[in-house]
mmCIF file of all heavy atoms in Angstrom:
data_model
loop_
_atom_site.group_PDB
_atom_site.id
_atom_site.type_symbol
_atom_site.label_atom_id
_atom_site.label_comp_id
_atom_site.label_asym_id
_atom_site.label_seq_id
_atom_site.Cartn_x
_atom_site.Cartn_y
_atom_site.Cartn_z
ATOM 1 N N PRO A 46 7.295 18.137 -11.592
ATOM 2 C CA PRO A 46 8.101 18.405 -10.333
ATOM 3 C C PRO A 46 7.554 17.662 -9.107
ATOM 4 O O PRO A 46 8.197 17.742 -8.175
ATOM 5 C CB PRO A 46 8.122 19.818 -10.199
ATOM 6 C CG PRO A 46 6.938 20.308 -10.942
ATOM 7 C CD PRO A 46 6.668 19.284 -12.105
ATOM 8 N N GLY A 47 6.361 17.153 -9.157
ATOM 9 C CA GLY A 47 5.780 16.533 -8.097
ATOM 10 C C GLY A 47 5.170 17.555 -7.162
ATOM 11 O O GLY A 47 5.233 18.719 -7.312
ATOM 12 N N PRO A 48 4.523 17.020 -6.156
ATOM 13 C CA PRO A 48 4.283 15.672 -5.827
ATOM 14 C C PRO A 48 3.179 15.066 -6.754
ATOM 15 O O PRO A 48 2.182 15.615 -7.155
ATOM 16 C CB PRO A 48 3.835 15.658 -4.495
ATOM 17 C CG PRO A 48 3.030 16.879 -4.224
ATOM 18 C CD PRO A 48 3.680 17.970 -5.203
ATOM 19 N N GLY A 49 3.371 13.745 -7.066
ATOM 20 C CA GLY A 49 2.313 12.965 -7.755
ATOM 21 C C GLY A 49 1.457 12.251 -6.803
ATOM 22 O O GLY A 49 1.720 12.459 -5.442
ATOM 23 N N ASP A 50 0.561 11.347 -7.141
ATOM 24 C CA ASP A 50 -0.217 10.734 -6.209
ATOM 25 C C ASP A 50 0.494 9.534 -5.669
ATOM 26 O O ASP A 50 0.791 8.624 -6.462
ATOM 27 C CB ASP A 50 -1.443 10.155 -7.034
ATOM 28 C CG ASP A 50 -2.533 9.607 -6.117
ATOM 29 O OD1 ASP A 50 -2.108 9.181 -4.895
ATOM 30 O OD2 ASP A 50 -3.666 9.659 -6.478
ATOM 31 N N SER A 51 0.918 9.453 -4.438
ATOM 32 C CA SER A 51 1.958 8.456 -3.848
ATOM 33 C C SER A 51 1.416 7.077 -3.885
ATOM 34 O O SER A 51 2.251 6.130 -3.796
ATOM 35 C CB SER A 51 2.302 8.955 -2.452
ATOM 36 O OG SER A 51 1.188 8.865 -1.565
ATOM 37 N N ASP A 52 0.104 6.858 -3.916
ATOM 38 C CA ASP A 52 -0.371 5.590 -3.772
ATOM 39 C C ASP A 52 -0.997 4.958 -5.148
ATOM 40 O O ASP A 52 -1.663 3.911 -5.228
ATOM 41 C CB ASP A 52 -1.283 5.177 -2.579
ATOM 42 C CG ASP A 52 -2.487 6.183 -2.684
ATOM 43 O OD1 ASP A 52 -2.637 7.112 -3.574
ATOM 44 O OD2 ASP A 52 -3.576 5.873 -1.896
ATOM 45 N N ALA A 53 -0.936 5.823 -6.160
ATOM 46 C CA ALA A 53 -1.418 5.509 -7.507
ATOM 47 C C ALA A 53 -0.305 4.743 -8.323
ATOM 48 O O ALA A 53 0.842 5.012 -8.097
ATOM 49 C CB ALA A 53 -1.973 6.723 -8.187
ATOM 50 N N SER A 54 -0.791 3.958 -9.303
ATOM 51 C CA SER A 54 0.095 3.347 -10.302
ATOM 52 C C SER A 54 -0.642 3.144 -11.602
ATOM 53 O O SER A 54 -1.770 3.312 -11.725
ATOM 54 C CB SER A 54 0.542 2.023 -9.673
ATOM 55 O OG SER A 54 -0.592 1.144 -9.529
ATOM 56 N N GLY A 55 0.045 2.809 -12.637
ATOM 57 C CA GLY A 55 -0.464 2.611 -13.924
ATOM 58 C C GLY A 55 0.529 1.910 -14.772
ATOM 59 O O GLY A 55 1.748 1.817 -14.427
ATOM 60 N N THR A 56 0.013 1.464 -15.974
ATOM 61 C CA THR A 56 0.760 0.777 -16.907
ATOM 62 C C THR A 56 0.363 1.446 -18.260
ATOM 63 O O THR A 56 -0.798 1.636 -18.639
ATOM 64 C CB THR A 56 0.574 -0.588 -17.134
ATOM 65 O OG1 THR A 56 0.931 -1.235 -15.778
ATOM 66 C CG2 THR A 56 1.335 -1.291 -18.046
ATOM 67 N N ALA A 57 1.388 1.688 -19.084
ATOM 68 C CA ALA A 57 1.052 2.181 -20.565
ATOM 69 C C ALA A 57 1.837 1.414 -21.386
ATOM 70 O O ALA A 57 2.971 0.983 -21.255
ATOM 71 C CB ALA A 57 1.682 3.621 -20.707
ATOM 72 N N ILE A 58 1.088 0.831 -22.506
ATOM 73 C CA ILE A 58 1.679 0.163 -23.596
ATOM 74 C C ILE A 58 1.694 1.037 -24.706
ATOM 75 O O ILE A 58 0.566 1.580 -25.155
ATOM 76 C CB ILE A 58 0.995 -1.203 -23.818
ATOM 77 C CG1 ILE A 58 1.036 -2.103 -22.613
ATOM 78 C CG2 ILE A 58 1.547 -1.827 -25.094
ATOM 79 C CD1 ILE A 58 0.253 -3.360 -22.782
ATOM 80 N N ILE A 59 2.804 1.464 -25.208
ATOM 81 C CA ILE A 59 2.940 2.534 -26.321
ATOM 82 C C ILE A 59 3.596 1.839 -27.495
ATOM 83 O O ILE A 59 4.619 1.112 -27.332
ATOM 84 C CB ILE A 59 3.734 3.560 -25.845
ATOM 85 C CG1 ILE A 59 3.298 4.279 -24.494
ATOM 86 C CG2 ILE A 59 3.967 4.715 -26.942
ATOM 87 C CD1 ILE A 59 1.860 4.886 -24.729
ATOM 88 N N VAL A 60 2.949 2.042 -28.692
ATOM 89 C CA VAL A 60 3.570 1.502 -29.861
ATOM 90 C C VAL A 60 3.597 2.760 -30.881
ATOM 91 O O VAL A 60 2.564 3.278 -30.962
ATOM 92 C CB VAL A 60 2.701 0.432 -30.526
ATOM 93 C CG1 VAL A 60 3.260 0.091 -31.918
ATOM 94 C CG2 VAL A 60 2.672 -0.810 -29.610
ATOM 95 N N ILE A 61 4.798 3.032 -31.375
ATOM 96 C CA ILE A 61 4.986 4.097 -32.219
ATOM 97 C C ILE A 61 5.576 3.573 -33.638
ATOM 98 O O ILE A 61 6.604 2.820 -33.590
ATOM 99 C CB ILE A 61 5.995 5.134 -31.673
ATOM 100 C CG1 ILE A 61 5.314 5.607 -30.309
ATOM 101 C CG2 ILE A 61 6.118 6.329 -32.653
ATOM 102 C CD1 ILE A 61 6.210 6.483 -29.573
ATOM 103 N N VAL A 62 4.914 3.903 -34.701
ATOM 104 C CA VAL A 62 5.271 3.550 -36.047
ATOM 105 C C VAL A 62 5.574 4.697 -36.851
ATOM 106 O O VAL A 62 4.695 5.271 -37.372
ATOM 107 C CB VAL A 62 4.251 2.524 -36.663
ATOM 108 C CG1 VAL A 62 4.709 2.064 -38.031
ATOM 109 C CG2 VAL A 62 3.856 1.464 -35.739
ATOM 110 N N PRO A 63 6.825 5.135 -36.863
ATOM 111 C CA PRO A 63 7.165 6.382 -37.588
ATOM 112 C C PRO A 63 6.813 6.438 -39.053
ATOM 113 O O PRO A 63 6.298 7.454 -39.650
ATOM 114 C CB PRO A 63 8.686 6.558 -37.379
ATOM 115 C CG PRO A 63 9.023 5.707 -36.253
ATOM 116 C CD PRO A 63 7.990 4.660 -36.206
ATOM 117 N N ALA A 64 6.857 5.385 -39.785
ATOM 118 C CA ALA A 64 6.507 5.273 -41.143
ATOM 119 C C ALA A 64 5.091 5.582 -41.414
ATOM 120 O O ALA A 64 4.686 5.988 -42.552
ATOM 121 C CB ALA A 64 6.780 3.846 -41.730
ATOM 122 N N LEU A 65 4.202 5.382 -40.389
ATOM 123 C CA LEU A 65 2.899 5.728 -40.592
ATOM 124 C C LEU A 65 2.429 6.987 -39.745
ATOM 125 O O LEU A 65 1.251 7.236 -39.678
ATOM 126 C CB LEU A 65 1.998 4.544 -40.051
ATOM 127 C CG LEU A 65 2.148 3.192 -40.810
ATOM 128 C CD1 LEU A 65 1.354 2.100 -40.104
ATOM 129 C CD2 LEU A 65 1.791 3.318 -42.218
ATOM 130 N N ASP A 66 3.470 7.684 -39.136
ATOM 131 C CA ASP A 66 3.214 8.635 -38.136
ATOM 132 C C ASP A 66 2.065 8.361 -37.159
ATOM 133 O O ASP A 66 1.253 9.109 -36.842
ATOM 134 C CB ASP A 66 2.727 9.943 -38.861
ATOM 135 C CG ASP A 66 3.868 10.625 -39.686
ATOM 136 O OD1 ASP A 66 4.930 10.475 -39.291
ATOM 137 O OD2 ASP A 66 3.443 11.406 -40.561
ATOM 138 N N ARG A 67 2.105 7.116 -36.650
ATOM 139 C CA ARG A 67 1.115 6.535 -35.821
ATOM 140 C C ARG A 67 1.626 6.288 -34.422
ATOM 141 O O ARG A 67 2.702 5.760 -34.170
ATOM 142 C CB ARG A 67 0.560 5.221 -36.310
ATOM 143 C CG ARG A 67 -0.543 4.750 -35.574
ATOM 144 C CD ARG A 67 -1.516 3.846 -36.191
ATOM 145 N NE ARG A 67 -2.008 4.388 -37.405
ATOM 146 C CZ ARG A 67 -3.306 4.869 -37.582
ATOM 147 N NH1 ARG A 67 -4.054 5.065 -36.683
ATOM 148 N NH2 ARG A 67 -3.686 5.231 -38.814
ATOM 149 N N VAL A 68 0.851 6.691 -33.479
ATOM 150 C CA VAL A 68 1.158 6.510 -31.958
ATOM 151 C C VAL A 68 -0.059 5.808 -31.408
ATOM 152 O O VAL A 68 -1.218 6.358 -31.583
ATOM 153 C CB VAL A 68 1.309 7.797 -31.292
ATOM 154 C CG1 VAL A 68 1.506 7.640 -29.703
ATOM 155 C CG2 VAL A 68 2.508 8.527 -31.802
ATOM 156 N N CYS A 69 0.143 4.575 -30.844
ATOM 157 C CA CYS A 69 -0.904 3.820 -30.338
ATOM 158 C C CYS A 69 -0.685 3.551 -28.827
ATOM 159 O O CYS A 69 0.422 3.507 -28.345
ATOM 160 C CB CYS A 69 -1.207 2.609 -30.929
ATOM 161 S SG CYS A 69 -1.629 2.647 -32.799
ATOM 162 N N TRP A 70 -1.778 3.455 -28.025
ATOM 163 C CA TRP A 70 -1.652 3.305 -26.638
ATOM 164 C C TRP A 70 -2.767 2.356 -26.003
ATOM 165 O O TRP A 70 -3.833 2.347 -26.535
ATOM 166 C CB TRP A 70 -1.537 4.618 -25.951
ATOM 167 C CG TRP A 70 -2.919 5.364 -26.060
ATOM 168 C CD1 TRP A 70 -4.023 5.322 -25.106
ATOM 169 C CD2 TRP A 70 -3.270 6.217 -27.078
ATOM 170 N NE1 TRP A 70 -5.013 6.086 -25.605
ATOM 171 C CE2 TRP A 70 -4.688 6.720 -26.807
ATOM 172 C CE3 TRP A 70 -2.648 6.766 -28.109
ATOM 173 C CZ2 TRP A 70 -5.261 7.613 -27.659
ATOM 174 C CZ3 TRP A 70 -3.334 7.547 -28.985
ATOM 175 C CH2 TRP A 70 -4.627 7.986 -28.786
ATOM 176 N N MET A 71 -2.328 1.808 -24.873
ATOM 177 C CA MET A 71 -3.200 1.107 -24.083
ATOM 178 C C MET A 71 -2.815 1.499 -22.607
ATOM 179 O O MET A 71 -1.768 1.420 -22.268
ATOM 180 C CB MET A 71 -3.245 -0.448 -24.093
ATOM 181 C CG MET A 71 -3.793 -0.930 -25.395
ATOM 182 S SD MET A 71 -3.717 -2.771 -25.639
ATOM 183 C CE MET A 71 -3.620 -3.475 -24.063
ATOM 184 N N LEU A 72 -3.697 2.230 -21.910
ATOM 185 C CA LEU A 72 -3.368 2.698 -20.572
ATOM 186 C C LEU A 72 -4.286 2.037 -19.509
ATOM 187 O O LEU A 72 -5.408 1.831 -19.718
ATOM 188 C CB LEU A 72 -3.729 4.172 -20.481
ATOM 189 C CG LEU A 72 -2.930 5.164 -21.328
ATOM 190 C CD1 LEU A 72 -3.316 6.580 -21.132
ATOM 191 C CD2 LEU A 72 -1.347 5.210 -21.146
ATOM 192 N N SER A 73 -3.775 1.913 -18.291
ATOM 193 C CA SER A 73 -4.522 1.383 -17.235
ATOM 194 C C SER A 73 -3.932 2.064 -16.043
ATOM 195 O O SER A 73 -2.739 2.376 -15.895
ATOM 196 C CB SER A 73 -4.580 -0.034 -17.132
ATOM 197 O OG SER A 73 -3.300 -0.570 -16.763
ATOM 198 N N TRP A 74 -4.822 2.504 -15.018
ATOM 199 C CA TRP A 74 -4.458 3.078 -13.810
ATOM 200 C C TRP A 74 -5.195 2.659 -12.681
ATOM 201 O O TRP A 74 -6.321 2.211 -12.854
ATOM 202 C CB TRP A 74 -4.426 4.568 -13.970
ATOM 203 C CG TRP A 74 -5.701 5.189 -14.323
ATOM 204 C CD1 TRP A 74 -6.640 5.531 -13.566
ATOM 205 C CD2 TRP A 74 -6.280 5.410 -15.750
ATOM 206 N NE1 TRP A 74 -7.818 6.062 -14.170
ATOM 207 C CE2 TRP A 74 -7.478 5.806 -15.501
ATOM 208 C CE3 TRP A 74 -5.702 5.266 -16.891
ATOM 209 C CZ2 TRP A 74 -8.269 6.226 -16.643
ATOM 210 C CZ3 TRP A 74 -6.450 5.601 -18.116
ATOM 211 C CH2 TRP A 74 -7.774 6.072 -17.891
ATOM 212 N N ASP A 75 -4.669 2.843 -11.463
ATOM 213 C CA ASP A 75 -5.380 2.494 -10.259
ATOM 214 C C ASP A 75 -4.971 3.369 -9.229
ATOM 215 O O ASP A 75 -3.766 3.720 -9.018
ATOM 216 C CB ASP A 75 -5.091 1.038 -9.847
ATOM 217 C CG ASP A 75 -5.994 0.464 -8.750
ATOM 218 O OD1 ASP A 75 -7.143 0.700 -8.859
ATOM 219 O OD2 ASP A 75 -5.322 -0.058 -7.814
ATOM 220 N N GLY A 76 -5.940 3.757 -8.246
ATOM 221 C CA GLY A 76 -5.767 4.412 -7.076
ATOM 222 C C GLY A 76 -5.426 5.957 -7.181
ATOM 223 O O GLY A 76 -4.986 6.560 -6.312
ATOM 224 N N ILE A 77 -5.793 6.600 -8.338
ATOM 225 C CA ILE A 77 -5.599 7.944 -8.667
ATOM 226 C C ILE A 77 -6.578 8.685 -7.925
ATOM 227 O O ILE A 77 -7.862 8.466 -8.122
ATOM 228 C CB ILE A 77 -5.537 8.332 -10.171
ATOM 229 C CG1 ILE A 77 -4.254 7.767 -10.806
ATOM 230 C CG2 ILE A 77 -5.472 9.850 -10.268
ATOM 231 C CD1 ILE A 77 -4.150 8.012 -12.169
#
Side-chain angles (χ1 to χ4, degrees):
D50 191 336
S51 62
D52 62 349
S54 62
T56 301
I58 297 173
I59 305 292
V60 176
I61 301 171
V62 184
L65 301 175
D66 286 337
R67 182 155 311 260
V68 177
C69 296
W70 64 91
M71 289 177 28
L72 301 176
S73 63
W74 57 87
D75 188 48
I77 294 178

